Amino acid sequence: MPDTVPVTIEVESDDAAALADPATRARLERLVRRTLRPTGGVDRLFAAMDALSDEARRRGLTNEILDAELAAYNAERRDRPPTA
């Protein structure tokens, strides 16, 4: 990844051993990035949702279809007996 620098943090010895696994280390690096810059994730989420919406509309999904599906779902939920 461009423009990265190594950072040293203190962890328990068992945790340090787990970081020898490249996949675990990569997950931790992503977690640190998301923790330090949380808004970037939200922007990516909205972009993904917009792309999904655009694709659904391209395939013929309309507000009327969504409204009908939501109404059917709500009706099914109303007809179910309450769970304990």
Coordinates of all heavy atoms in Angstrom, one line a residue:
M1 N 0.9 -1.2 0.0 CA 0.0 0.0 0.0 C 0.9 1.2 0.0 O 1.8 1.3 0.8 CB -0.9 0.0 1.2 CG -1.8 1.2 1.3 SD -3.1 1.0 2.6 CE -4.2 0.0 1.7
P2 N 0.7 2.2 -0.9 CA 1.5 3.4 -1.0 C 1.3 4.3 0.3 O 0.3 4.3 0.9 CB 1.0 4.1 -2.2 CG -0.3 3.6 -2.5 CD -0.4 2.2 -1.9
D3 N 2.4 5.0 0.6 CA 2.3 6.0 1.7 C 2.0 5.4 3.0 O 1.3 5.9 3.8 CB 1.3 7.1 1.4 CG 1.6 7.9 0.1 OD1 2.8 8.0 -0.1 OD2 0.7 8.3 -0.5
T4 N 2.5 4.2 3.3 CA 2.3 3.6 4.6 C 3.7 3.6 5.3 O 4.7 3.6 4.7 CB 1.8 2.1 4.5 OG1 2.8 1.3 3.8 CG2 0.5 2.1 3.8
V5 N 3.6 3.6 6.6 CA 4.8 3.5 7.5 C 4.5 2.5 8.6 O 3.4 2.3 9.0 CB 5.1 4.8 8.1 CG1 5.5 5.9 7.1 CG2 4.0 5.3 9.0
P6 N 5.5 1.7 9.0 CA 5.3 0.8 10.1 C 5.1 1.5 11.4 O 5.7 2.6 11.6 CB 6.6 0.0 10.1 CG 7.6 0.8 9.3 CD 6.9 1.7 8.4
V7 N 4.3 1.0 12.2 CA 4.0 1.5 13.5 C 4.1 0.4 14.6 O 3.6 -0.7 14.3 CB 2.6 2.1 13.6 CG1 2.2 2.6 15.0 CG2 2.4 3.2 12.6
T8 N 4.8 0.7 15.7 CA 5.0 -0.4 16.7 C 3.9 -0.1 17.8 O 3.8 1.0 18.3 CB 6.4 -0.3 17.3 OG1 7.3 -0.4 16.2 CG2 6.6 -1.3 18.3
I9 N 3.3 -1.2 18.2 CA 2.3 -1.2 19.3 C 2.7 -2.3 20.2 O 3.2 -3.3 19.8 CB 0.9 -1.2 18.8 CG1 0.6 -2.6 18.1 CG2 0.5 0.0 18.0 CD1 -0.9 -2.8 17.8
E10 N 2.3 -2.2 21.5 CA 2.6 -3.2 22.4 C 1.3 -4.1 22.6 O 0.2 -3.6 22.8 CB 3.0 -2.6 23.8 CG 4.3 -1.9 23.7 CD 4.8 -1.5 25.1 OE1 4.4 -2.0 26.1 OE2 5.7 -0.6 25.1
V11 N 1.5 -5.4 22.5 CA 0.5 -6.4 22.7 C 1.0 -7.5 23.5 O 2.2 -7.7 23.7 CB -0.1 -6.9 21.3 CG1 -0.7 -5.8 20.5 CG2 1.0 -7.6 20.6
E12 N 0.1 -8.3 24.1 CA 0.5 -9.5 24.8 C 1.2 -10.5 23.9 O 1.0 -10.5 22.7 CB -0.8 -10.2 25.4 CG -1.7 -9.3 26.2 CD -1.5 -9.4 27.7 OE1 -1.0 -10.5 28.1 OE2 -1.8 -8.5 28.4
S13 N 2.1 -11.3 24.5 CA 2.9 -12.2 23.7 C 2.0 -13.2 22.8 O 2.4 -13.5 21.7 CB 3.9 -13.0 24.5 OG 3.2 -13.8 25.5
D14 N 0.9 -13.7 23.4 CA 0.1 -14.6 22.6 C -0.5 -13.8 21.4 O -0.6 -14.4 20.3 CB -1.1 -15.1 23.4 CG -0.6 -16.0 24.5 OD1 0.5 -16.5 24.5 OD2 -1.4 -16.3 25.4
D15 N -0.9 -12.6 21.6 CA -1.4 -11.8 20.5 C -0.3 -11.5 19.4 O -0.6 -11.6 18.2 CB -2.0 -10.5 21.0 CG -3.1 -10.7 21.9 OD1 -3.8 -11.7 21.8 OD2 -3.3 -9.8 22.8
A16 N 0.9 -11.3 19.9 CA 2.0 -11.0 18.9 C 2.2 -12.3 18.1 O 2.5 -12.1 16.9 CB 3.2 -10.7 19.7
A17 N 2.1 -13.4 18.6 CA 2.3 -14.7 17.9 C 1.2 -14.8 16.8 O 1.5 -15.2 15.7 CB 2.2 -15.9 18.8
A18 N 0.0 -14.4 17.1 CA -1.1 -14.4 16.1 C -0.8 -13.5 14.9 O -1.3 -13.8 13.8 CB -2.4 -14.1 16.8
L19 N -0.1 -12.4 15.2 CA 0.2 -11.4 14.1 C 1.2 -11.9 13.1 O 1.4 -11.3 12.1 CB 0.6 -10.1 14.8 CG -0.5 -9.4 15.5 CD1 0.1 -8.1 16.2 CD2 -1.6 -9.0 14.6
A20 N 1.8 -13.1 13.4 CA 2.7 -13.7 12.4 C 2.0 -14.2 11.2 O 2.5 -14.3 10.1 CB 3.5 -14.8 13.1
D21 N 0.7 -14.4 11.3 CA -0.2 -14.8 10.2 C -0.5 -13.6 9.3 O -1.1 -12.7 9.8 CB -1.5 -15.5 10.7 CG -2.4 -15.8 9.6 OD1 -2.0 -16.3 8.6 OD2 -3.6 -15.6 9.8
P22 N -0.1 -13.7 8.0 CA -0.3 -12.5 7.2 C -1.8 -12.1 7.1 O -2.1 -10.9 7.0 CB 0.2 -13.0 5.8 CG 1.2 -14.1 6.1 CD 0.6 -14.7 7.4
A23 N -2.7 -13.1 7.0 CA -4.1 -12.8 6.9 C -4.6 -12.0 8.2 O -5.4 -11.1 8.1 CB -5.0 -14.0 6.7
T24 N -4.2 -12.5 9.3 CA -4.6 -11.8 10.6 C -4.0 -10.4 10.6 O -4.7 -9.4 11.0 CB -4.1 -12.6 11.8 OG1 -4.6 -13.9 11.8 CG2 -4.4 -11.9 13.1
R25 N -2.8 -10.3 10.2 CA -2.1 -9.0 10.2 C -2.9 -8.0 9.2 O -3.1 -6.9 9.6 CB -0.7 -9.1 9.8 CG 0.1 -7.9 10.0 CD 1.6 -8.2 9.7 NE 2.4 -7.0 10.0 CZ 2.8 -6.7 11.3 NH1 2.5 -7.4 12.3 NH2 3.5 -5.6 11.5
A26 N -3.3 -8.5 8.1 CA -4.0 -7.7 7.1 C -5.3 -7.2 7.7 O -5.7 -6.1 7.5 CB -4.2 -8.4 5.8
R27 N -6.0 -8.1 8.4 CA -7.3 -7.8 9.0 C -7.1 -6.7 10.1 O -7.9 -5.7 10.1 CB -8.0 -9.0 9.6 CG -8.6 -9.9 8.6 CD -9.6 -10.9 9.2 NE -8.9 -11.8 10.2 CZ -8.2 -12.9 9.9 NH1 -8.1 -13.3 8.7 NH2 -7.7 -13.6 10.9
L28 N -6.1 -6.8 10.8 CA -5.8 -5.8 11.9 C -5.5 -4.5 11.3 O -5.9 -3.4 11.7 CB -4.7 -6.3 12.8 CG -4.3 -5.4 13.9 CD1 -5.5 -5.2 14.8 CD2 -3.1 -5.9 14.7
E29 N -4.7 -4.5 10.2 CA -4.3 -3.3 9.5 C -5.6 -2.6 9.0 O -5.8 -1.3 9.1 CB -3.4 -3.5 8.4 CG -2.0 -3.9 8.9 CD -1.1 -4.4 7.8 OE1 -1.5 -4.6 6.6 OE2 0.1 -4.7 8.1
R30 N -6.5 -3.3 8.4 CA -7.8 -2.7 7.9 C -8.6 -2.2 9.1 O -9.2 -1.1 9.0 CB -8.6 -3.8 7.2 CG -8.1 -4.1 5.8 CD -9.1 -4.9 4.9 NE -9.4 -6.1 5.5 CZ -8.7 -7.3 5.4 NH1 -7.6 -7.3 4.7 NH2 -9.2 -8.4 6.0
L31 N -8.6 -2.9 10.2 CA -9.4 -2.4 11.4 C -8.8 -1.1 11.9 O -9.5 -0.2 12.2 CB -9.3 -3.5 12.5 CG -10.0 -3.2 13.8 CD1 -11.5 -2.9 13.5 CD2 -9.8 -4.3 14.8
V32 N -7.5 -1.0 12.0 CA -6.8 0.2 12.4 C -7.2 1.4 11.5 O -7.6 2.5 11.9 CB -5.3 0.0 12.5 CG1 -4.6 1.4 12.7 CG2 -5.0 -0.9 13.7
R33 N -7.1 1.1 10.2 CA -7.4 2.2 9.2 C -8.9 2.6 9.4 O -9.2 3.8 9.4 CB -7.2 1.7 7.8 CG -5.8 1.8 7.3 CD -5.7 1.6 5.8 NE -6.2 0.4 5.3 CZ -5.6 -0.8 5.3 NH1 -4.3 -0.9 5.8 NH2 -6.1 -1.9 4.8
R34 N -9.8 1.7 9.5 CA -11.2 2.1 9.7 C -11.5 2.8 11.0 O -12.3 3.6 11.1 CB -12.1 0.8 9.6 CG -12.1 0.3 8.2 CD -12.9 -1.0 8.1 NE -12.8 -1.6 6.8 CZ -12.9 -2.9 6.5 NH1 -13.1 -3.7 7.5 NH2 -12.8 -3.3 5.3
T35 N -10.7 2.4 12.0 CA -10.9 3.1 13.3 C -10.4 4.5 13.3 O -11.0 5.4 13.8 CB -10.1 2.3 14.4 OG1 -10.6 1.0 14.5 CG2 -10.3 2.9 15.8
L36 N -9.3 4.7 12.6 CA -8.7 6.1 12.5 C -9.5 7.0 11.5 O -9.5 8.2 11.7 CB -7.2 6.0 12.1 CG -6.3 5.3 13.1 CD1 -4.9 5.2 12.6 CD2 -6.3 6.0 14.4
R37 N -10.1 6.4 10.5 CA -10.9 7.2 9.5 C -12.2 6.5 9.3 O -12.5 6.0 8.3 CB -10.1 7.2 8.2 CG -8.9 8.0 8.3 CD -8.3 8.1 6.9 NE -7.0 7.6 7.0 CZ -6.3 7.0 6.0 NH1 -6.9 6.9 4.8 NH2 -5.1 6.5 6.2
P38 N -13.1 6.6 10.3 CA -14.4 6.0 10.2 C -15.3 6.5 9.2 O -16.2 5.8 8.6 CB -15.0 6.2 11.6 CG -14.3 7.3 12.2 CD -13.0 7.4 11.6
T39 N -15.2 7.8 8.8 CA -16.1 8.3 7.8 C -15.9 7.8 6.4 O -16.8 7.7 5.6 CB -16.1 9.9 7.8 OG1 -14.7 10.3 7.5 CG2 -16.5 10.5 9.1
G40 N -14.7 7.4 6.1 CA -14.4 6.8 4.8 C -15.3 5.6 4.6 O -15.8 5.3 3.5
G41 N -15.5 4.8 5.6 CA -16.3 3.6 5.5 C -17.8 3.9 5.2 O -18.4 3.2 4.4
V42 N -18.3 4.9 5.8 CA -19.7 5.4 5.5 C -19.8 5.8 4.1 O -20.8 5.5 3.4 CB -20.1 6.5 6.6 CG1 -21.4 7.0 6.2 CG2 -20.1 5.9 8.0
D43 N -18.9 6.6 3.6 CA -18.9 7.1 2.2 C -18.9 5.9 1.3 O -19.7 5.9 0.3 CB -17.8 8.0 1.9 CG -17.9 9.3 2.7 OD1 -19.0 9.7 3.2 OD2 -16.8 10.0 2.8
R44 N -18.1 4.9 1.5 CA -18.0 3.7 0.7 C -19.3 2.9 0.8 O -19.8 2.4 -0.2 CB -16.8 2.8 1.1 CG -15.5 3.4 0.6 CD -14.4 2.3 0.7 NE -14.3 1.8 2.1 CZ -13.5 2.3 3.0 NH1 -12.7 3.3 2.7 NH2 -13.4 1.8 4.2
L45 N -19.9 2.9 1.9 CA -21.2 2.2 2.1 C -22.3 2.9 1.3 O -23.0 2.2 0.5 CB -21.6 2.1 3.6 CG -23.0 1.5 3.9 CD1 -23.1 0.1 3.4 CD2 -23.3 1.6 5.3
F46 N -22.4 4.2 1.4 CA -23.4 4.9 0.6 C -23.1 4.8 -0.9 O -24.1 4.6 -1.7 CB -23.4 6.4 1.0 CG -24.0 6.7 2.3 CD1 -23.5 7.7 3.1 CD2 -25.1 6.0 2.7 CE1 -24.1 7.9 4.4 CE2 -25.7 6.2 3.9 CZ -25.2 7.2 4.8
A47 N -21.9 4.8 -1.3 CA -21.6 4.6 -2.7 C -22.0 3.2 -3.2 O -22.6 3.0 -4.3 CB -20.1 4.8 -3.0
A48 N -21.8 2.2 -2.4 CA -22.2 0.8 -2.7 C -23.7 0.7 -2.8 O -24.3 0.1 -3.7 CB -21.6 -0.2 -1.7
M49 N -24.4 1.4 -1.8 CA -25.8 1.4 -1.8 C -26.4 2.1 -3.1 O -27.4 1.6 -3.7 CB -26.4 2.0 -0.6 CG -26.1 1.2 0.7 SD -26.5 2.0 2.2 CE -28.2 2.2 2.1
D50 N -25.8 3.2 -3.5 CA -26.2 3.9 -4.7 C -26.0 3.0 -5.9 O -26.9 3.0 -6.8 CB -25.4 5.2 -4.8 CG -25.9 6.3 -3.8 OD1 -27.0 6.1 -3.2 OD2 -25.1 7.2 -3.6
A51 N -24.9 2.3 -6.0 CA -24.6 1.5 -7.1 C -25.6 0.3 -7.2 O -26.1 0.0 -8.3 CB -23.1 0.9 -7.1
L52 N -25.9 -0.3 -6.0 CA -26.9 -1.3 -6.0 C -28.3 -0.8 -6.4 O -29.0 -1.5 -7.2 CB -27.0 -1.9 -4.6 CG -27.9 -3.1 -4.3 CD1 -27.5 -4.3 -5.2 CD2 -27.9 -3.4 -2.9
S53 N -28.6 0.3 -6.0 CA -29.9 0.9 -6.3 C -30.0 1.2 -7.8 O -31.0 0.9 -8.5 CB -30.1 2.2 -5.6 OG -31.3 2.9 -6.0
D54 N -28.9 1.7 -8.4 CA -28.8 2.0 -9.8 C -29.0 0.7 -10.6 O -29.7 0.6 -11.6 CB -27.5 2.7 -10.2 CG -27.4 4.1 -9.7 OD1 -28.5 4.7 -9.3 OD2 -26.3 4.6 -9.7
E55 N -28.3 -0.4 -10.2 CA -28.4 -1.7 -10.9 C -29.8 -2.2 -10.8 O -30.3 -2.8 -11.7 CB -27.4 -2.6 -10.3 CG -27.4 -4.0 -10.8 CD -27.0 -4.1 -12.3 OE1 -26.5 -3.2 -12.9 OE2 -27.3 -5.2 -12.9
A56 N -30.4 -2.1 -9.6 CA -31.8 -2.6 -9.4 C -32.8 -1.9 -10.3 O -33.6 -2.5 -11.0 CB -32.2 -2.5 -8.0
R57 N -32.6 -0.6 -10.4 CA -33.5 0.2 -11.3 C -33.3 -0.1 -12.8 O -34.2 -0.2 -13.6 CB -33.3 1.7 -11.0 CG -33.8 2.0 -9.6 CD -34.3 3.4 -9.5 NE -34.6 3.7 -8.1 CZ -35.7 3.4 -7.5 NH1 -36.6 2.8 -8.2 NH2 -35.9 3.7 -6.2
R58 N -32.0 -0.4 -13.1 CA -31.7 -0.8 -14.5 C -32.3 -2.1 -14.9 O -32.7 -2.3 -16.0 CB -30.1 -0.9 -14.7 CG -29.7 -1.1 -16.1 CD -28.2 -1.3 -16.2 NE -27.7 -2.6 -15.6 CZ -27.9 -3.8 -16.1 NH1 -28.6 -3.9 -17.2 NH2 -27.5 -4.9 -15.5
R59 N -32.5 -2.9 -13.9 CA -33.1 -4.2 -14.1 C -34.6 -4.2 -14.0 O -35.3 -5.2 -14.1 CB -32.5 -5.3 -13.1 CG -31.1 -5.6 -13.4 CD -30.6 -6.6 -12.4 NE -29.2 -7.0 -12.7 CZ -28.8 -8.3 -12.7 NH1 -29.7 -9.2 -12.3 NH2 -27.6 -8.6 -13.0
G60 N -35.2 -3.0 -13.7 CA -36.6 -2.9 -13.7 C -37.3 -2.7 -12.4 O -38.5 -2.6 -12.3
L61 N -36.6 -2.6 -11.3 CA -37.2 -2.3 -10.0 C -37.7 -0.9 -10.0 O -37.0 0.0 -10.3 CB -36.2 -2.6 -8.9 CG -36.7 -2.5 -7.5 CD1 -37.7 -3.6 -7.2 CD2 -35.6 -2.6 -6.5
T62 N -39.0 -0.8 -9.5 CA -39.6 0.5 -9.4 C -40.0 0.8 -8.0 O -40.1 -0.1 -7.2 CB -40.8 0.6 -10.3 OG1 -41.8 -0.3 -9.9 CG2 -40.5 0.3 -11.8
N63 N -40.4 2.0 -7.7 CA -40.9 2.4 -6.4 C -42.2 1.6 -6.1 O -42.4 1.2 -5.0 CB -41.1 3.9 -6.2 CG -39.8 4.6 -6.1 OD1 -38.8 4.1 -5.7 ND2 -39.8 5.9 -6.4
E64 N -43.0 1.4 -7.1 CA -44.2 0.7 -6.9 C -44.0 -0.8 -6.5 O -44.7 -1.3 -5.7 CB -45.1 0.8 -8.2 CG -45.6 2.1 -8.6 CD -44.6 3.1 -9.1 OE1 -43.5 2.6 -9.7 OE2 -44.8 4.3 -9.1
I65 N -43.0 -1.4 -7.2 CA -42.7 -2.8 -6.8 C -42.2 -2.8 -5.4 O -42.6 -3.7 -4.6 CB -41.6 -3.3 -7.8 CG1 -42.2 -3.5 -9.2 CG2 -41.1 -4.7 -7.3 CD1 -41.2 -3.8 -10.3
L66 N -41.3 -1.9 -5.0 CA -40.8 -1.8 -3.6 C -41.9 -1.7 -2.6 O -42.0 -2.3 -1.6 CB -39.8 -0.7 -3.5 CG -38.4 -1.0 -4.1 CD1 -37.5 0.3 -4.0 CD2 -37.7 -2.1 -3.4
D67 N -42.8 -0.7 -2.9 CA -44.0 -0.5 -2.0 C -44.8 -1.7 -1.9 O -45.3 -2.1 -0.8 CB -44.8 0.7 -2.6 CG -44.1 2.0 -2.4 OD1 -43.2 2.1 -1.6 OD2 -44.6 3.0 -3.1
A68 N -45.1 -2.4 -3.0 CA -45.9 -3.7 -2.9 C -45.2 -4.7 -2.1 O -45.8 -5.4 -1.3 CB -46.2 -4.2 -4.3
E69 N -43.9 -4.9 -2.3 CA -43.2 -5.9 -1.5 C -43.2 -5.6 0.0 O -43.3 -6.4 0.8 CB -41.7 -6.0 -2.1 CG -41.6 -6.7 -3.4 CD -42.0 -8.1 -3.4 OE1 -41.8 -8.8 -2.3 OE2 -42.6 -8.6 -4.4
L70 N -43.0 -4.3 0.3 CA -43.0 -3.9 1.7 C -44.3 -4.1 2.3 O -44.4 -4.6 3.5 CB -42.5 -2.4 1.8 CG -42.4 -1.9 3.2 CD1 -41.5 -2.7 4.1 CD2 -42.0 -0.4 3.2
A71 N -45.4 -3.8 1.6 CA -46.7 -4.0 2.1 C -47.0 -5.5 2.3 O -47.6 -5.9 3.4 CB -47.8 -3.4 1.1
A72 N -46.6 -6.3 1.4 CA -46.7 -7.8 1.6 C -46.0 -8.3 2.8 O -46.5 -9.1 3.6 CB -46.3 -8.5 0.3
Y73 N -44.7 -7.8 3.0 CA -43.9 -8.2 4.1 C -44.6 -7.8 5.4 O -44.7 -8.6 6.3 CB -42.5 -7.6 4.0 CG -41.7 -7.8 5.2 CD1 -41.0 -9.0 5.4 CD2 -41.5 -6.7 6.1 CE1 -40.2 -9.1 6.5 CE2 -40.7 -6.9 7.3 CZ -40.1 -8.1 7.5 OH -39.3 -8.3 8.6
N74 N -45.1 -6.5 5.5 CA -45.7 -6.1 6.7 C -47.0 -6.8 7.0 O -47.3 -7.1 8.1 CB -46.0 -4.6 6.6 CG -44.7 -3.7 6.7 OD1 -43.8 -4.2 7.3 ND2 -44.8 -2.6 6.1
A75 N -47.7 -7.2 6.0 CA -49.0 -8.0 6.2 C -48.6 -9.4 6.7 O -49.3 -9.9 7.6 CB -49.7 -8.1 4.8
E76 N -47.6 -10.0 6.2 CA -47.1 -11.3 6.7 C -46.7 -11.2 8.1 O -47.1 -12.1 8.9 CB -46.0 -11.8 5.9 CG -46.3 -12.3 4.5 CD -45.1 -12.6 3.6 OE1 -44.0 -12.7 4.2 OE2 -45.3 -12.9 2.4
R77 N -46.0 -10.2 8.5 CA -45.6 -10.0 9.9 C -46.8 -9.8 10.8 O -46.8 -10.3 12.0 CB -44.6 -8.9 10.0 CG -43.3 -9.2 9.4 CD -42.2 -8.1 9.7 NE -42.1 -7.8 11.1 CZ -41.3 -8.5 12.0 NH1 -40.6 -9.5 11.6 NH2 -41.2 -8.1 13.2
R78 N -47.8 -9.1 10.4 CA -49.0 -8.9 11.2 C -49.8 -10.1 11.4 O -50.4 -10.3 12.5 CB -49.9 -7.8 10.6 CG -49.5 -6.4 10.8 CD -50.5 -5.4 10.3 NE -50.8 -5.5 8.9 CZ -50.2 -4.8 8.0 NH1 -49.2 -4.0 8.3 NH2 -50.5 -4.9 6.7
D79 N -49.7 -11.1 10.5 CA -50.5 -12.3 10.5 C -49.8 -13.4 11.4 O -50.4 -14.4 11.7 CB -50.7 -12.9 9.1 CG -51.7 -12.0 8.3 OD1 -52.4 -11.2 9.0 OD2 -51.7 -12.1 7.1
R80 N -48.5 -13.2 11.7 CA -47.8 -14.2 12.5 C -48.1 -14.1 13.9 O -48.3 -13.0 14.5 CB -46.3 -14.0 12.3 CG -45.7 -14.4 11.0 CD -44.2 -14.3 11.1 NE -43.7 -14.0 9.8 CZ -42.6 -13.5 9.5 NH1 -41.8 -13.1 10.5 NH2 -42.2 -13.3 8.3
P81 N -48.2 -15.2 14.6 CA -48.4 -15.2 16.1 C -47.2 -14.6 16.7 O -46.0 -14.8 16.2 CB -48.7 -16.6 16.5 CG -48.2 -17.4 15.3 CD -48.2 -16.6 14.1
P82 N -47.3 -13.9 17.8 CA -46.1 -13.4 18.5 C -45.2 -14.5 19.0 O -45.8 -15.6 19.4 CB -46.7 -12.6 19.7 CG -48.1 -12.8 19.7 CD -48.5 -13.6 18.5
T83 N -43.9 -14.3 19.0 CA -43.0 -15.3 19.5 C -42.7 -15.0 21.0 O -42.7 -13.9 21.4 CB -41.7 -15.3 18.7 OG1 -41.1 -14.0 18.8 CG2 -42.0 -15.7 17.3
A84 N -42.5 -16.1 21.7 CA -42.2 -15.9 23.2 C -40.8 -15.6 23.5 O -39.9 -15.7 22.8 CB -42.7 -17.2 23.9

